Amino acid sequence: MPARLFDLTGKSAIVTGCNTGLGAAMAIALAEAGCGIVGVNRSDPADTRARVEGAGQRFVDVRADLAALDAVDSIVAASVEAFGRIDVLVNNAGIIRRNDALTFSEADWDAVIDVNLKSVFFLSQAVARQFVRQGAGGKIINVASMLSFQGGIRVASYTASKSGVLGLTRLLANEWAAKGINVNAIAPGYMATNNTAALRDDRERNDEILARIPAGRWGAPDDLAGPVVFLASPASDYVHGHTLAVDGGWLAR
Ligand code: NAP
């Protein structure tokens, strides 16, 4: 297998929500494959910056709140100014709100849809316009969920947003594949991050979930390293519109 299939030397990637959790692991994995990183966060990504720089890559720190669209154009501009081009976008930033469907509030609906779905579309649109200007295609990797495939419970807006991410991934692939733009998604299973702290703290839910995962353990952020490098690299050039479950076998059950 030629090593260059997975080589990202000289490329640059925008990774949203990379100060912690899955985004941090994916940014570091891309950097270790040779990619410079534009990290988009609300809070300080100090640890991720240190790890990316430790891998010998440049880290550009862009602070933005993806609950609104104001920052979309400036994220693209900052990336182009720093690296001269964009090669990869990882739409990772996401939030979750839990409540019964009978009492779920409009605020909890809008907050989740705005970050998890609306900003994913409009940042993808802005980056794809840049890919078209560059004339050499590009890679967009969305972060989906088990709730892109399943209904879940007490997470109405999250399920709607992540099911939407799966559909949007297919739509964008249909429109942009002929332009050399690969749009795919990673659907993490149950991963040990802040996002799932409440589930892991609930002993009963923790045990139920663990018992159902064929791999017998929660996922670790580093489990996304190989999949994200694959989808960012020439190795996946003919993969379009796919949502890749990285779930310890959860969906196979
Ligand atoms: P996490 O530890 O809570 O991290 C979420 C990230 O999103 C943080 O970097 C956060 O940055 C960023 N973010 C949230 N709201 C933002 C906003 N308005 N503007 C900019 N950035 C924002 O969660 P995670 O588990 O790593 O999740 C990452 C992605 O994977 C999410 O899309 C999540 O839905 C998805 N996912 C997670 C799991 C899991 O089991 N953990 C499973 C399936 C899918 P700030 O700290 O700066 O807000």
Side-chain angles (χ1 to χ4, degrees):
M1 177 75 59
R4 68 179 183 282
L5 274 179
F6 299 95
D7 184 12
L8 300 178
T9 303
K11 309 250 185 202
S12 65
I14 299 171
V15 185
T16 68
C18 68
N19 64 323
T20 183
L22 305 184
M26 289 191 283
I28 293 159
L30 292 170
E32 287 174 347
C35 200
I37 303 294
V38 177
V40 181
N41 297 280
R42 289 180 300 186
S43 28
D44 187 356
D47 291 346
T48 307
R49 170 193 279 275
R51 295 279 305 276
V52 166
E53 291 175 350
Q57 300 302 329
R58 188 166 165 206
F59 183 92
V60 175
D61 181 359
V62 175
R63 300 294 170 89
D65 184 349
L66 294 168
L69 300 180
D70 327 21
V72 164
D73 289 339
S74 57
I75 293 167
V76 172
S79 307
V80 174
E81 190 186 333
F83 290 102
R85 56 181 293 109
I86 305 168
D87 299 291
V88 180
L89 167 65
V90 182
N91 282 308
N92 168 75
I95 57 172
I96 193 165
R97 300 278 169 86
R98 297 176 197 279
N99 213 329
D100 294 338
L102 283 175
T103 50
F104 208 87
S105 70
E106 184 176 358
D108 282 346
W109 180 270
D110 287 346
V112 172
I113 296 291
D114 284 350
V115 177
N116 293 18
L117 189 57
K118 188 173 177 182
S119 82
V120 168
F121 174 69
F122 284 101
L123 187 55
S124 298
Q125 180 191 60
V127 168
R129 287 174 177 163
Q130 176 62 22
F131 288 161
V132 170
R133 282 192 287 274
Q134 293 170 185
K139 305 275 187 179
I140 296 178
I141 302 161
N142 297 324
V143 176
S145 164
M146 293 297 94
L147 301 188
S148 302
F149 303 95
Q150 302 177 312
I153 191 163
R154 303 189 75 247
V155 287
S157 54
Y158 188 82
T159 298
S161 72
K162 293 299 184 178
S163 296
V165 164
L166 186 147
L168 184 62
T169 299
R170 289 177 170 152
L171 173 128
L172 296 178
N174 290 340
E175 293 203 22
W176 296 344
K179 300 180 193 307
I181 301 171
N182 297 83
V183 186
N184 291 292
I186 291 173
Y190 285 82
M191 316 295 281
T193 67
N194 299 335
N195 179 292
T196 53
L199 285 180
R200 283 175 292 115
D201 288 347
D202 178 338
R203 194 165 181 170
E204 201 176 318
R205 280 292 283 140
N206 181 70
D207 291 351
E208 276 169 16
I209 288 167
L210 264 186
R212 195 193 177 285
I213 301 174
R217 64 170 176 86
W218 283 77
D222 284 347
D223 287 317
L224 299 190
V228 77
V229 170
F230 167 62
L231 290 176
S233 70
S236 61
D237 278 351
Y238 200 58
V239 180
H240 290 281
H242 185 66
T243 295
L244 174 61
V246 183
D247 64 351
W250 176 273
L251 289 179
R253 195 67 186 254

